[in-house]
């Protein structure tokens, strides 16, 4: 195929439009032919646009320009081509510069690495040479001393024995050889030596890795070397806090020393220990002084220093609501009186109509003042709960029923109030009843040194009725007056401190503690420690069930976010960090564990033998107690400890809060104990396990019933009392020998009756010489069950034949009498 100029063109006939073909003329590429559907366009090849020898422009050369291309279009195309060539040249130059910079950086790093390794090898070589030189000198001195002692004229030491000093250090020559051997082939290894691989990061290499502190020390040494400074750092003397016992690794961390150095020093002292073993304070003090640090002796109890009591300045104190505790005997109307004040119906939800928990409420009076009330149970078993309520209160309202006067728990409440040194207000309740006698209440209170105002005393007394509402306003006025006299203040702008009123284990919310804030403000997110538990405030719920963000002084709230259920009565303190709270809680738990171990352990051999003897003679009734709240569990355990005597006692194997679980059933089965559930139930798995293993589960909602049942069960362990009833006497008239039977006494029943089943004693001269049972009792030739007074009979003793005429036989019956605990 040829074009219009007669040039040969390579291509295929019938090719698709848009195919590019090259034309050849005299073996050189001249033009590029582009075929389209309509026409063929010839584009000049690169370089075709250069000026001709005649000075003409190719754009204007119509013979060389493709058909249909104007001068402007040709010039634009040439300019775009030149710009592309310029960009390509710039990009190539930039890539060459970057490659050159990377190569220089790699060379610099290799040089630094080689210099660093060379310096390290030189230092090691110098240290080795110095050690060898010192060893050589020591050996030479010993040899010279030995020769001097052996002969008066020691032989001169040959010069050949001394090593010739090299003109170049051995380490330097070795470095040069290694550098020559590894030059070229080890560059890539050196380049990648500082990079972290996946296997190294995941521990796949199998070796031990350097710690972060070691890497920082290495980087610091490298930086000082690069700056030309000294490699050796100045020794940092630290104050090391030293408890009574410390782990070796922890000691190394506090001294900022290597664990291996500490272990080596201990081994030099003759103690073969590892980094995970514990050493005493005296040994650790020697190690600390050896490494040049200072010892600061501390005690384990010092961890609680972070929650020391801080005295608030007078300017920071602000008025706070008073805390009023309602106390008194059971069924005297304490909760009903509080219900009338707060317009609630709490008593209707209490089992048996008696309060068995501490309730905390806030009441806002018509005058606008806020009062915090604590309602305590009145049952005899809840002594500790009443005591706890008196300790955290400002004012005690003593409720006494006008128709019942002063009762035992009333006296106990008076004693608690006096011990806590808090003012008391007497509320004479049930004044609406016809048999009410308030003057008798006032007179009875005189016996316990409580003199009310109507008896010319200082204690306020108010006659009230929870049913009709009579006297409630006067009671609130008396409380407000007493609170105004006390001038109650607290600092809300400080770390919170409060007392745990009650604690329970809720199924959906976990451990929950009812806390009365006493100082500061408890906020959501605060980290705290309470007794042996710690946690972070996840939520605060007030007495109405609403969530609040914070709680100030004298505000009772439920706190969520504990790691365990605290004991009722524990003190809550807010700490700065979770580590402090955890450390304090662990220390308190260890102290409590040590106390429990010490209380149950015998210190001497005599005490140990006495305790074993007592345990052998005392029958125990083991039980497990699970309650809904911590205070109820505590009250039940205390009530169980009071049940028993010298022969039998109740032993509480475990007490806790929350539902009865499968673990409780397992413990009960192993100990043969029943499980007592107080206001709680067993979950499904626990019920199934109890049915399979035959463990008895009893549910209670009133503490009276639980105490009575346990007392009855403990009474069953008491040995029955044996009583003897004398039913007759018989006198031996004659003794007969009967073949196959032995000696038979011919007797006359002188008194009472002789029975075959009764026990007998043989009396000779009014002295008992045998006690046993009858082998036979006959009247004439017949065996009879009994013989009446005045009749004759024949008696033979079981396994006894030494009977004589004139002996007296005493006949008696034994009767078992069931005993009960008081």
């Amino acid at each position: 195929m040829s074009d219009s100029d007669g040039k040969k063109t390579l291509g295929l006939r019938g090719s698709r439009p848009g195919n590019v073909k090259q034309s050849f003329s005299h073996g050189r590429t001249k033009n590029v032919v582009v075929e389209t559907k309509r026409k063929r366009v010839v584009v000049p090849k690169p370089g075709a646009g250069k000026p001709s020898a005649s000075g003409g422009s190719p754009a204007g050369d119509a013979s060389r320009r493709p058909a249909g291309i104007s001068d402007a279009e040709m010039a634009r195309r040439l300019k775009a081509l030149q710009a592309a060539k310029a960009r390509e040249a710039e990009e190539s130059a930039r890539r060459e510069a970057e490659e050159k910079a990377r190569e220089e950086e790699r060379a610099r790093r290799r040089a630094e690495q080689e210099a660093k390794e060379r310096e390290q090898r030189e230092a090691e070589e110098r240290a080795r040479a110095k050690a060898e030189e010192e060893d050589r000198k020591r050996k030479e001195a010993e040899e010279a001393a030995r020769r001097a002692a052996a002969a008066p004229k020691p032989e001169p030491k040959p010069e050949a024995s001394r090593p010739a000093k090299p003109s170049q250090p051995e380490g330097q020559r070795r470095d040069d050889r290694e550098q020559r051997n590894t030059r070229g082939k080890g560059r890539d290894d050196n380049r990648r030596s500082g990079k972290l691989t996946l296997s190294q990061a995941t521990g796949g290499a199998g070796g031990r890795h350097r710690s972060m502190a070691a890497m920082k020390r290495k980087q610091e040494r490298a930086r000082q070397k690069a700056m030309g400074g000294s490699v050796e750092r100045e020794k940092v003397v630290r104050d090391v806090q030293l408890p009574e016992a410390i782990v070796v690794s922890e000691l190394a961390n506090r001294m900022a020393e290597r664990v291996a150095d500490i272990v080596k020093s201990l081994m030099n002292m003759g103690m073969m220990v590892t980094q995970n073993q514990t050493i005493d304070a005296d040994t650790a003090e020697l190690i600390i002084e050896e490494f040049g640090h200072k010892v600061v002796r501390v005690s384990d109890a010092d961890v609680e220093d972070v929650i020391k009591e801080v005295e608030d300045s007078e300017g920071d104190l602000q008025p706070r609501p008073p805390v009023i505790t309602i106390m008194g005997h059971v069924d005297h109307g304490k909760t009903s009186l509080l219900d009338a004040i707060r317009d609630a119906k709490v008593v209707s939800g209490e089992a048996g109509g008696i309060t068995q928990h501490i309730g905390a409420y806030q009441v806002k009076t018509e005058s606008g003042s806020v009062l915090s009330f604590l309602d305590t149970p009145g049952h005899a078993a809840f002594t500790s709960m009443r005591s706890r309520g008196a300790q955290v209160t400002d004012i005690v309202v003593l409720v006494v029923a006008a128709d019942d006067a002063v009762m035992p728990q009333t006296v106990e409440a008076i004693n608690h109030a006096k011990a806590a040194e808090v003012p008391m207000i007497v509320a004479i309740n049930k004044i609406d009843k016809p048999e009410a006698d308030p003057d008798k209440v006032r007179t009875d209170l005189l016996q316990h040194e409580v003199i009310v105002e109507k008896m010319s005393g200082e204690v306020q007394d108010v006659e009230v009725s929870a049913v009709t509402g009579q006297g409630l306003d006067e009671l609130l006025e008396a409380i407000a007056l007493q609170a105004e006299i006390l001038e109650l203040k607290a600092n809300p702008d400080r770390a919170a401190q409060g007392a745990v009123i009650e604690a329970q284990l809720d199924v959906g919310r976990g451990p929950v503690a009812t806390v009365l804030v006493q100082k500061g403000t408890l906020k959501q997110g605060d980290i705290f420690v309470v007794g042996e538990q710690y946690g972070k405030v996840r939520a605060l719920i007030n007495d109405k069930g609403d969530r609040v963000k914070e709680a100030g002084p004298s505000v009772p709230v439920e706190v969520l976010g504990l790691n365990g259920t605290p004991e009722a009565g524990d003190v809550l303190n807010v700490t700065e960090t979770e580590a402090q709270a955890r450390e304090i809680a662990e220390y308190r738990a260890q102290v409590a564990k040590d106390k429990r171990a010490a209380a149950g352990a015998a210190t001497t051999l005599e005490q140990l033998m006495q305790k074993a003897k007592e345990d052998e003679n005392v029958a125990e009734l083991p039980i497990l107690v699970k309650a809904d709240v911590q205070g109820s569990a505590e009250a039940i355990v205390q009530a169980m400890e009071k049940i028993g005597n010298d022969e039998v006692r109740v032993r509480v194997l475990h007490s806790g809060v929350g539902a009865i679980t499968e673990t409780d059933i397992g413990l009960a089965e192993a100990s043969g104990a029943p499980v007592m559930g107080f206001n709680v139930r067993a979950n499904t798995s626990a019920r199934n396990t109890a049915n399979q293993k035959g463990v008895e589960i009893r549910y209670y909602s009133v503490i009276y019933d639980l105490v009575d049942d346990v007392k009855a069960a403990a009474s069953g362990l008491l040995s029955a009392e044996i009583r003897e009833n004398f039913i007759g006497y018989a006198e031996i008239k004659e003794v007969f020998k009967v073949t196959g039977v032995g000696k038979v006494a011919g007797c006359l029943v002188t008194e009472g009756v002789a029975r075959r089943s009764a026990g007998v004693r043989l009396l000779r001269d009014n002295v008992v010489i045998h006690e046993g049972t009858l082998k036979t009792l006959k009247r004439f030739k017949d065996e009879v069950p009994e013989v009446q007074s005045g009749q004759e009979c024949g008696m033979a003793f079981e396994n006894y034949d030494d009977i004589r005429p004139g002996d007296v036989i005493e006949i008696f019956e034994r009767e078992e009498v069931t005993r009960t605990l008081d």
Side-chain angles (χ1 to χ4, degrees):
M1 180 179 178
S2 61
D3 56 7
S4 60
D5 295 333
K7 302 167 187 168
K8 294 181 180 180
T9 305
L10 295 177
L12 296 175
R13 291 185 179 273
S15 60
R16 289 178 296 177
N19 291 345
V20 179
K21 307 170 185 177
Q22 282 188 324
S23 300
F24 291 86
S25 176
H26 306 291
R28 291 185 178 180
T29 303
K30 293 283 288 185
N31 299 321
V32 178
V33 180
V34 180
E35 289 188 359
T36 62
K37 286 184 177 181
R38 296 182 180 180
K39 62 181 179 179
R40 183 174 63 178
V41 180
V42 179
V43 181
K45 78 179 188 71
K50 293 182 180 180
S52 62
S54 61
S57 172
D61 192 354
S63 63
R64 296 187 178 185
R65 187 173 65 239
I69 302 299
S70 63
D71 294 343
E73 179 67 18
M74 193 67 184
R76 186 184 65 77
R77 292 184 180 184
L78 291 175
K79 187 180 295 184
L81 183 63
Q82 292 172 359
K85 285 185 177 182
R87 286 196 300 271
E88 184 179 358
E90 290 176 0
E91 185 68 22
S92 177
R94 186 178 61 79
R95 285 197 299 270
E96 290 178 358
E98 290 179 353
E99 183 65 27
K100 185 177 180 181
R102 284 196 293 269
E103 187 65 28
E104 291 177 355
E105 179 66 19
R106 286 195 292 269
R108 184 182 65 81
R109 290 183 179 177
R110 284 197 300 272
E112 290 180 356
Q113 183 70 16
E114 291 172 358
K116 189 183 301 182
E117 293 177 353
R118 186 167 56 253
E119 289 179 3
Q120 187 174 0
R121 285 194 297 270
E122 288 176 359
E124 292 176 355
E125 192 66 28
R126 286 195 297 270
R128 191 180 302 110
K130 185 177 179 181
E132 291 176 356
E133 182 68 20
E134 291 178 354
D135 190 32
R136 184 183 61 79
K137 289 181 179 181
R138 182 179 57 79
K139 289 182 179 180
E140 289 178 356
E142 293 177 356
E143 183 68 19
R146 187 179 59 80
R147 290 180 179 179
K153 293 181 179 180
E155 295 182 1
K157 185 165 53 177
E159 292 293 330
S161 62
R162 297 185 181 181
K165 184 177 180 182
S167 59
Q168 187 179 10
E170 181 66 24
Q172 182 67 33
R173 293 201 305 272
R174 187 183 300 126
D175 292 344
D176 295 341
R177 286 197 302 270
E178 291 177 357
Q179 204 167 6
R180 286 195 300 271
N181 294 334
T182 59
R183 185 173 298 156
K185 66 179 181 179
R187 289 180 179 178
D188 188 61
D189 295 338
N190 291 333
R191 180 171 62 86
R192 295 194 58 83
S193 62
K195 296 188 177 181
L196 181 66
T197 63
L198 183 61
S199 62
Q200 292 173 351
T202 56
R208 296 180 61 184
H209 302 287
R210 306 184 71 178
S211 64
M212 185 63 69
M215 295 297 293
K216 289 182 178 179
R217 290 194 294 267
K218 182 179 178 181
Q219 292 175 0
E220 181 65 19
R221 288 195 296 269
R223 187 181 66 81
Q224 290 183 356
K225 284 182 182 179
M227 296 176 62
S230 175
V231 179
E232 295 295 332
R233 292 183 300 170
E234 184 180 354
K235 180 72 174 181
V236 178
V237 179
R238 290 179 169 82
D239 293 334
V240 181
Q241 292 188 350
L242 182 60
E244 298 170 0
I246 189 170
V247 180
V248 174
S249 58
E250 178 62 22
L251 178 62
N253 289 337
R254 295 187 182 188
M255 294 168 57
E257 302 285 352
R258 295 175 63 244
V259 178
D261 295 340
I262 306 297
V263 174
K264 182 179 178 181
S265 180
L266 287 167
M267 288 184 176
N268 291 335
M269 296 170 58
M271 297 182 63
M272 300 299 161
V273 297
T274 63
Q275 63 176 353
N276 297 323
Q277 288 180 300
T278 304
I279 59 176
D280 60 308
D282 296 334
T283 305
E285 184 175 356
L286 295 176
I287 296 296
I288 294 171
E289 292 177 350
E290 180 180 345
F291 280 83
H293 299 291
K294 296 180 180 179
V295 180
V296 180
R297 286 285 191 125
V298 296
S299 174
D300 291 341
D302 293 342
V303 298
E304 296 190 342
D305 290 346
V306 296
I307 55 173
K308 278 187 175 178
E309 190 69 25
V310 179
E311 293 295 334
D312 297 318
S313 61
E314 191 67 27
D316 297 333
L317 299 179
Q318 298 180 12
R320 65 172 177 86
V323 180
I324 303 100
T325 301
I326 310 293
M327 303 178 72
H329 192 72
V330 63
D331 203 25
H332 274 203
K334 300 181 295 300
T335 308
S336 301
L337 182 62
L338 184 58
D339 292 345
I341 295 175
R342 60 192 293 260
D343 295 327
K345 292 295 180 184
V346 178
V347 70
S348 60
E350 296 287 352
I354 63 169
T355 300
Q356 301 177 118
H357 310 115
I358 284 186
Y361 317 99
Q362 266 202 329
V363 176
K364 190 171 184 179
T365 61
E366 296 179 357
S367 61
S369 58
V370 179
L371 307 177
S372 297
F373 282 95
L374 299 181
D375 184 19
T376 61
H379 187 266
F382 297 99
T383 301
S384 58
M385 297 176 73
R386 284 190 293 276
S387 173
R388 194 157 52 244
Q391 290 170 0
V392 299
T393 190
D394 300 315
I395 302 170
V396 169
V397 175
L398 181 66
V399 178
V400 187
D403 60 342
D404 202 10
V406 176
M407 298 301 287
Q409 271 64 61
T410 310
V411 179
E412 182 189 291
I414 294 172
N415 295 333
H416 287 321
K418 289 182 178 179
E421 297 181 354
V422 292
M424 187 189 311
I425 298 174
V426 177
I428 304 175
N429 195 17
K430 301 184 181 181
I431 198 68
D432 57 309
K433 288 194 172 184
E435 61 271 18
D437 189 359
D439 292 333
K440 184 177 183 300
V441 173
R442 298 185 180 98
T443 306
D444 290 349
L445 289 174
L446 293 175
Q447 302 176 9
H448 307 286
E449 300 178 358
V450 177
I451 307 173
V452 298
E453 289 181 343
K454 288 195 175 180
M455 306 291 287
S456 302
E458 297 179 354
V459 179
Q460 299 184 74
D461 65 314
V462 183
E463 296 180 2
V464 296
S465 173
V467 177
T468 62
Q470 176 184 347
L472 294 182
D473 295 336
E474 290 82 354
L475 179 61
L476 293 177
E477 288 179 6
I479 294 173
L481 177 61
Q482 189 67 59
E484 186 178 351
I485 295 173
L486 293 176
E487 295 182 354
L488 302 171
K489 293 182 179 180
N491 180 14
D493 302 325
R494 55 162 288 177
Q497 176 181 333
V500 177
I501 302 301
E502 194 56 270
Q504 60 180 333
L505 185 62
D506 195 285
V507 177
R509 301 183 297 172
V512 181
T514 302
V515 177
L516 177 67
V517 181
Q518 295 172 310
K519 298 178 182 178
T521 302
L522 185 62
K523 303 176 182 177
Q524 187 172 346
D526 284 348
I527 299 170
F528 63 89
V529 59
V530 49
E532 302 174 21
Q533 312 297 334
Y534 68 96
K536 184 177 181 180
V537 178
R538 187 158 47 90
L540 295 173
I541 301 174
N542 62 10
D543 60 313
K544 298 178 181 63
D546 302 328
R547 286 205 174 195
V548 294
K549 293 293 184 182
E550 59 182 29
S554 302
V555 178
V557 288
E558 284 187 338
V559 179
L560 280 69
L562 293 101
N563 70 324
T565 307
E567 296 289 334
D570 289 341
V571 179
L572 181 143
N573 295 97
V574 173
T575 60
E576 295 181 359
T577 63
E578 186 176 354
Q580 290 178 348
R582 185 188 302 110
E583 192 174 5
I584 295 171
E586 290 175 353
Y587 163 72
R588 290 176 176 175
Q590 184 62 37
V591 170
K593 181 179 178 181
D594 295 342
K595 284 184 178 179
R596 287 192 294 267
T603 56
T604 64
L605 182 60
E606 290 78 7
Q607 292 177 354
L608 184 64
M609 295 179 65
Q610 181 67 25
K611 189 174 185 298
K613 188 176 180 181
E614 291 175 356
D615 292 343
E616 184 179 353
N617 297 330
V618 177
E620 286 187 345
L621 173 64
I623 63 171
L624 269 77
V625 176
K626 294 299 287 290
D628 54 344
V629 294
Q630 190 70 42
S632 297
E634 179 186 14
I636 293 170
V637 171
Q638 291 177 355
M640 295 301 103
E641 291 175 352
K642 297 176 182 178
I643 298 176
N645 53 20
D646 296 338
E647 297 181 32
V648 64
R649 66 186 175 198
V650 178
R651 181 184 176 194
V652 180
L653 297 176
H654 171 68
S655 65
V657 295
I660 300 171
T661 63
E662 198 169 352
T663 305
D664 301 325
I665 302 300
L667 178 59
E669 183 210 6
S671 308
V675 180
M676 306 293 181
F678 186 76
N679 285 334
V680 295
R681 294 294 182 267
N683 53 35
T684 306
S685 61
R687 285 197 303 270
N688 296 336
T689 305
N691 293 333
Q692 293 172 4
K693 298 182 177 180
V695 177
E696 182 182 8
I697 302 177
R698 293 195 175 189
Y699 300 124
Y700 299 93
S701 58
V702 180
I703 196 170
Y704 291 113
D705 301 335
L706 190 151
V707 175
D708 292 343
D709 283 2
V710 174
K711 188 179 294 185
S715 300
L717 296 177
L718 288 173
S719 58
E721 182 180 354
I722 306 299
R723 294 180 183 175
E724 290 186 356
N725 297 324
F726 296 99
I727 59 175
Y729 290 92
E731 182 181 354
I732 299 177
K733 296 296 185 179
E734 192 62 53
V735 178
F736 305 96
K737 284 189 178 181
V738 180
T739 305
V741 179
K743 289 185 178 182
V744 177
C747 306
L748 174 64
V749 180
T750 59
E751 184 179 343
V753 61
R755 288 197 178 97
R756 170 72 176 82
S757 58
V760 292
R761 292 190 183 95
L762 184 63
L763 306 180
R764 186 173 297 164
D765 297 331
N766 293 324
V767 177
V768 178
I769 61 173
H770 174 70
E771 180 177 345
T773 58
L774 292 176
K775 181 166 59 174
T776 180
L777 176 63
K778 289 188 176 183
R779 177 157 174 78
F780 301 108
K781 293 182 180 182
D782 301 328
E783 189 78 23
V784 293
E786 64 179 32
V787 178
Q788 297 295 328
S789 175
Q791 296 179 352
E792 294 181 348
C793 62
M795 296 183 186
F797 289 87
E798 192 78 40
N799 300 325
Y800 190 78
D801 286 341
D802 185 16
I803 53 178
R804 302 175 187 175
D807 292 347
V808 177
I809 298 175
E810 184 181 73
I811 305 136
F812 63 90
E813 286 183 344
R814 288 188 174 93
E815 179 186 6
E816 291 187 357
V817 179
T818 304
R819 298 164 59 196
T820 58
L821 292 172
D822 295 333

